[in-house]
Amino acid sequence: MEGVKLLDFWVSPFGLRVRIALAEKGVEFEYKEENLAEKSELLVSANPVYKKIPVLIHDGKPVCESLIIVQYIDEAWSDKGPALLPKDPYQRAQARFWADFVDKKMYECGTRVWKSKGEAKEEAKKEFIDNMKLLEATLGDKPFFGGDVFGYMDISLIPFACWFYSYETEGSFSIEEACPKILEWVKRCKERESVSKFLPDPHKVHEFVLFLKKRFGIE
């Protein structure tokens, strides 16, 4: 048995999903911080198609892409911790649909909020808020996206909470004003040790964003 190893980067919302899922299942793992400017031979060999983090290596076998990894964790350790995906096929499909929505919309749109200027920034900001309002409507009055239980969809979205401060600061808007129920949901999620022990300080995330802006020559 070679155990469990995670190739990751500290601020990656995609890697955070995996860390939270492993913690929810009570699975111990070895964490390997990657230098994304000089990717390790292990990362390139473990994910030769995309050469991206996160990669979960379980007993020497690599699993790639964060949502696929979270589903793998739920199945591989089905006898440990709570189920991450709902048992009901329809609810499971809904969780996957909205997690896919987060994958396609949140990171790319959030990046445009801090990376663009002028009209493009305003468009990105409006799109980001519209996306958040859709998610808020989906959450409704439930404690978590799946109802009373923290699960797959929550894991897919909560890592972005540590980026909210950067999006708000760079975009000059307030998520709390636009989507107060989302912020209440964030607070509930942070009450879980699996979330609180891994989410980076939002101000440190913003320092990283400022580093990226300087690197890309964005004023």
Side-chain angles (χ1 to χ4, degrees), residues 12-41:
S12 166
F14 305 104
L16 283 164
R17 288 171 171 172
V18 180
R19 280 175 262 168
I20 292 168
L22 287 167
E24 282 290 319
K25 287 290 189 176
V27 177
E28 293 185 5
F29 63 97
E30 177 189 345
Y31 178 87
K32 186 178 183 301
E33 179 80 1
E34 285 287 333
N35 178 355
L36 300 186
E38 296 181 19
K39 296 173 182 178
S40 70
E41 289 184 12

Side-chain angles (χ1 to χ4, degrees), residues 21 48 54 63 73-75 103 118 122-123 129 152 156 172 209 215:
V63 184
I73 290 167
D74 198 29
E75 294 169 2
D103 244 17
E122 291 304 309
E123 289 177 0
I129 293 171
Y152 181 71
S156 76
S172 300
V209 168
R215 182 180 173 186

Side-chain angles (χ1 to χ4, degrees), residues 129-164:
I129 293 171
D130 286 347
N131 290 339
M132 292 297 290
K133 286 183 175 179
L134 274 173
L135 290 169
E136 184 179 55
T138 302
L139 176 65
D141 294 322
K142 302 187 297 292
F144 300 105
F145 280 92
D148 293 330
V149 180
F150 178 85
Y152 181 71
M153 173 53 192
D154 304 290
I155 291 171
S156 76
L157 180 58
I158 192 57
F160 289 93
C162 63
W163 286 77
F164 284 176

Side-chain angles (χ1 to χ4, degrees), residues 61-92:
K61 299 174 182 177
V63 184
C64 307
E65 296 293 291
S66 64
L67 291 179
I68 292 171
I69 297 171
V70 172
Q71 292 179 54
Y72 174 84
I73 290 167
D74 198 29
E75 294 169 2
W77 290 280
S78 59
D79 59 333
K80 296 188 71 171
L84 304 180
L85 277 154
K87 289 183 179 179
D88 178 78
Y90 178 75
Q91 291 178 359
R92 186 180 289 242

Side-chain angles (χ1 to χ4, degrees), residues 155-196:
I155 291 171
S156 76
L157 180 58
I158 192 57
F160 289 93
C162 63
W163 286 77
F164 284 176
Y165 174 75
S166 295
Y167 300 151
E168 291 174 309
T169 303
E170 297 297 322
S172 300
F173 67 96
S174 168
I175 292 174
E176 187 170 17
E177 286 182 13
C179 307
K181 288 182 180 179
I182 290 290
L183 266 291
E184 292 171 9
W185 165 82
V186 169
K187 290 175 184 175
R188 283 192 292 275
C189 290
K190 284 183 175 180
E191 291 173 0
R192 304 183 73 83
E193 185 183 358
S194 62
V195 175
S196 62

